[in-house]
Amino acid sequence: MADSGSPRKREEEEEEDDIVCLDPSFFVDRSYEMTTFTFGSHELRLLCLRAASTDYDLTGQLVWPGAVLMNNYLSEHPENVKGCSVIELGSGIGITGILCSRFCERVVLTDHNDEVLEIIKKNIELQSCSENAHAVLTSEKLEWGNSDHISSIIEKHPGGFDVVLGADICFQQSSISCLFDTVERIICTQTSNCRFILAYVSRAKVMDGLVLKEAEKHGMCVREVDGTRTTISNLEGVIFDISLK
């Protein structure tokens, strides 16, 4: 039996010494900056980060290319959401949902991460003094595929939603099935036609096929909106209009 002074024992102790335990706060960056964004004739002033957090789960603290693509599209075609009740999935800082508040009756911004929800709420508060916001803006926690979260939102909004929005939210292969599970359940609560407008940014060919395949699996029809395929931040983006068959 090896004693406490054996080389093997010392090596194990050294390995234990090399383990670094980081406090969760290490991954959190709240150095938000007030930033002005312009989409068509609409100007938004929002808090956001300039660079991504060290935690991949906090990517919602900054604005991604798909959100710019979506907002440019909606600013040019507000009729897609005008007078509608809208829920946005993976809202991040809320830039898309807050733009929609210029045209809609009600907008619910959602995210699964508490830190991201914190900045969403701050940006919603900033709109309270804006003369341009017309909709009732609220935020809700929503982890895709979480039945309790989805049920809670449906219970609070029994009338359902006319439009589901998603901007640059298809970047993690493991989450796509849960995303479409969530979209399907939300769409099915609405008695009239409910659409899912997705601003998709291509980062991997495997994801391109997976998104279309998952939509088909959930009985949905995917239509590429004419004239929306474009290059943004050196990536190819497109707007999809998705509905149940």
Side-chain angles (χ1 to χ4, degrees), residues 3-41:
D3 59 33
S4 59
S6 68
R8 181 175 180 181
K9 183 67 175 181
R10 287 195 299 271
E11 184 178 331
E12 291 174 351
E13 290 174 349
E14 288 173 359
E15 288 178 355
E16 290 177 0
D17 290 339
D18 289 339
I19 297 174
V20 178
C21 295
L22 297 175
D23 187 274
S25 62
F26 174 82
F27 298 102
V28 178
D29 184 356
R30 294 191 179 92
S31 56
Y32 304 127
E33 297 180 23
M34 186 66 74
T35 307
T36 300
F37 300 91
T38 302
F39 303 102
S41 61

Side-chain angles (χ1 to χ4, degrees), residues 45-220:
R45 283 178 57 78
L46 303 171
L47 293 168
C48 68
L49 291 184
R50 292 291 188 176
S53 167
T54 52
D55 186 344
Y56 77 91
D57 202 32
L58 292 170
T59 54
Q61 292 176 305
L62 69 163
V63 175
W64 290 95
V68 176
L69 173 63
M70 176 73 89
N71 283 27
N72 285 334
Y73 171 68
L74 292 177
S75 68
E76 294 171 3
H77 302 281
E79 67 276 5
N80 283 287
V81 292
K82 189 173 183 179
C84 293
S85 174
V86 171
I87 182 169
E88 184 185 8
L89 308 183
S91 297
I93 68 165
I95 192 168
T96 293
I98 288 172
L99 175 66
C100 285
S101 69
R102 306 287 177 92
F103 321 118
C104 300
E105 292 183 356
R106 176 164 51 99
V107 181
V108 179
L109 309 179
T110 71
D111 207 279
H112 78 283
N113 186 282
D114 290 332
E115 298 294 338
V116 176
L117 283 167
E118 179 185 283
I119 191 171
I120 288 176
K121 291 174 181 177
K122 288 180 184 293
N123 282 328
I124 287 177
E125 289 173 6
L126 288 172
Q127 309 314 304
S128 61
C129 57
S130 171
E131 297 178 355
N132 296 312
H134 305 294
V136 176
L137 270 169
T138 56
S139 63
E140 298 285 350
K141 183 167 186 172
L142 176 56
E143 179 182 6
W144 303 339
N146 186 311
S147 183
D148 290 339
H149 290 177
I150 299 170
S151 295
S152 176
I153 291 173
I154 290 173
E155 185 177 337
K156 291 178 182 178
H157 305 277
F161 300 93
D162 302 305
V163 180
V164 181
L165 292 177
D168 217 342
I169 57 176
C170 300
F171 53 84
Q172 200 170 9
Q173 189 171 346
S174 60
S175 68
I176 299 302
S177 178
C178 291
L179 167 62
F180 279 93
D181 286 344
T182 301
V183 172
E184 181 181 10
R185 187 164 172 194
I186 292 172
I187 286 178
C188 287
T189 64
Q190 178 62 285
T191 54
S192 60
N193 293 330
C194 177
R195 303 150 58 210
F196 175 34
I197 301 177
L198 175 66
Y200 179 75
V201 174
S202 177
R203 291 184 173 86
K205 292 299 181 183
V206 65
M207 291 295 293
D208 298 350
L210 181 60
V211 169
L212 298 177
K213 181 179 179 181
E214 200 64 38
E216 175 71 23
K217 178 181 174 181
H218 284 79
M220 298 178 185

Side-chain angles (χ1 to χ4, degrees), residues 66 69 199-202 224 228-232 235-239:
L69 173 63
Y200 179 75
V201 174
S202 177
E224 179 177 325
T228 63
R229 189 170 288 275
T230 186
T231 300
I232 186 163
L235 298 168
E236 186 176 79
V238 65
I239 301 291

